[in-house]
Amino acid sequence: MPQAHPDLAAALIRLGRIKYDEVDLDVVLSTIVQVAKDTLPGTAEVSVTLVQGTQAHTAAYTGALALTLDEWQYAHGRGPCLDAATTGTAMLVSDMAAESRWPEWAARAHGAGAASSLSIGLPIQEAVVGALNIYGAAPGVLDRQVELAQTLAGYAAIALANVHLYESTATLAQQMQEAMQSRAVIEQAKGIIMGQRRCTADEAFAILARVSQDSNRKLREVAESLVERAVHGPRD
C-alpha cells in the first residue's frame, strides 16, 4: 500500500478552510490550483478548465504556461484537459516528446516548456464539467502522482460543489425573501383599495391586476406605488 504524500493532509486542511459564505467561485478555484501546485512534486503550473455545453475556458491558473496550453486545446477542440473534463477520467501525458494521442498539441506544449501533463476530470454540476490540469516540469514526474492528484481533485470537486450549493441556496433564500416582500406590499395595497372602494379582497386584487396589465408594470410595482402615495401623498 503506497504511503500518503506528507503534504496531502496539509493540502486538504487548506481546502477545508474555505468559507463558502465569504468567498466566490474565483477565490475557490484560485485556492485549488495553488494547493495542487504546492502539493504535487514536479509540477510546473496548474489550471482548472470548466466546460459548459460546447464552451470551454480556463477559470483559474497559476501561470501563463498553463493558460496557453489550455487555450491551444480549446482552439482545436481536443486535448487531454477537454477529454478529461468530458469523460471524468484521468489523462496522463508522461512525455510530451513521445505523445501520439494529441501529437500537434504535445509538440507545441513541449516547445513551450511543458514536458508532461496530467488532467483529472472534475464533476461539478449537471450543466458544467471541468478538469484539474497539472503540467510537469520534466518527463515522467507525474507518473506516480496520479493517485494523489485524483484524491486532491476529489476534494476540489467537493469544494466546488459546496460553492455551487451555497450560491444556489443563497439565491433561493433571496428569491424567497423578495417573494415575501412582494406579498407583503401587495397585501398592503389590497387593504388600501378595500378601504377606499369598500370592496372585497378578491375585488381589490382584481383592480391591482388590471392596473398592472394596463400599465405594463409588474404587480409589485403597482402595489408599491399605491402604498407610497397612501403614505407620503402624490408626488409633485
Side-chain angles (χ1 to χ4, degrees), residues 15 18 25 56 60 68 74 80 82 100 137 142 173 197 225:
L15 291 177
I18 297 172
L25 182 60
T68 298
Y74 309 153
L82 291 176
S100 59
L142 301 175
R197 303 288 185 92
S225 296

Side-chain angles (χ1 to χ4, degrees), residues 47-221:
S47 67
V48 168
T49 292
L50 295 183
V51 181
Q52 186 168 15
T54 59
Q55 300 299 315
H57 73 282
T58 297
Y61 55 95
T62 58
L65 174 64
L67 178 62
T68 298
L69 299 186
D70 288 354
E71 290 185 338
W72 280 349
Q73 295 179 62
Y74 309 153
H76 293 85
R78 64 187 308 268
C81 78
L82 291 176
D83 286 0
T86 55
T87 63
T89 58
M91 295 289 170
L92 174 67
V93 178
S94 183
D95 185 354
M96 291 290 186
E99 175 57 40
S100 59
R101 290 167 295 180
W102 310 281
E104 182 179 351
W105 172 82
R108 297 185 71 175
H110 184 266
S116 55
S117 73
L118 173 61
S119 292
I120 309 291
L122 294 174
I124 301 169
Q125 51 173 297
E126 290 185 3
V128 181
V129 294
L132 178 67
N133 309 306
I134 303 106
Y135 293 101
V141 294
L142 301 175
D143 291 10
R144 297 182 179 180
Q145 306 301 327
V146 176
E147 185 176 350
L148 177 58
Q150 287 177 321
T151 301
L152 197 58
Y155 279 86
I158 292 172
L160 291 174
N162 284 338
V163 172
H164 174 66
L165 177 61
Y166 178 82
E167 290 182 345
S168 298
T169 302
T171 299
L172 178 59
Q174 183 179 2
Q175 290 172 345
M176 290 179 65
Q177 184 179 17
E178 290 174 353
M180 291 173 66
Q181 291 172 344
S182 294
R183 180 174 178 179
V185 75
I186 289 171
E187 289 299 319
Q188 286 180 300
K190 283 169 57 179
I192 293 170
I193 293 173
M194 290 168 65
Q196 293 174 343
R197 303 288 185 92
R198 305 297 180 183
C199 62
T200 66
D202 288 344
E203 290 170 338
F205 183 81
I207 292 171
L208 280 174
R210 187 166 59 250
V211 173
S212 172
Q213 184 176 3
D214 292 345
S215 62
N216 196 26
R217 290 187 296 164
K218 293 181 180 179
L219 187 64
R220 175 178 175 172
E221 293 176 356

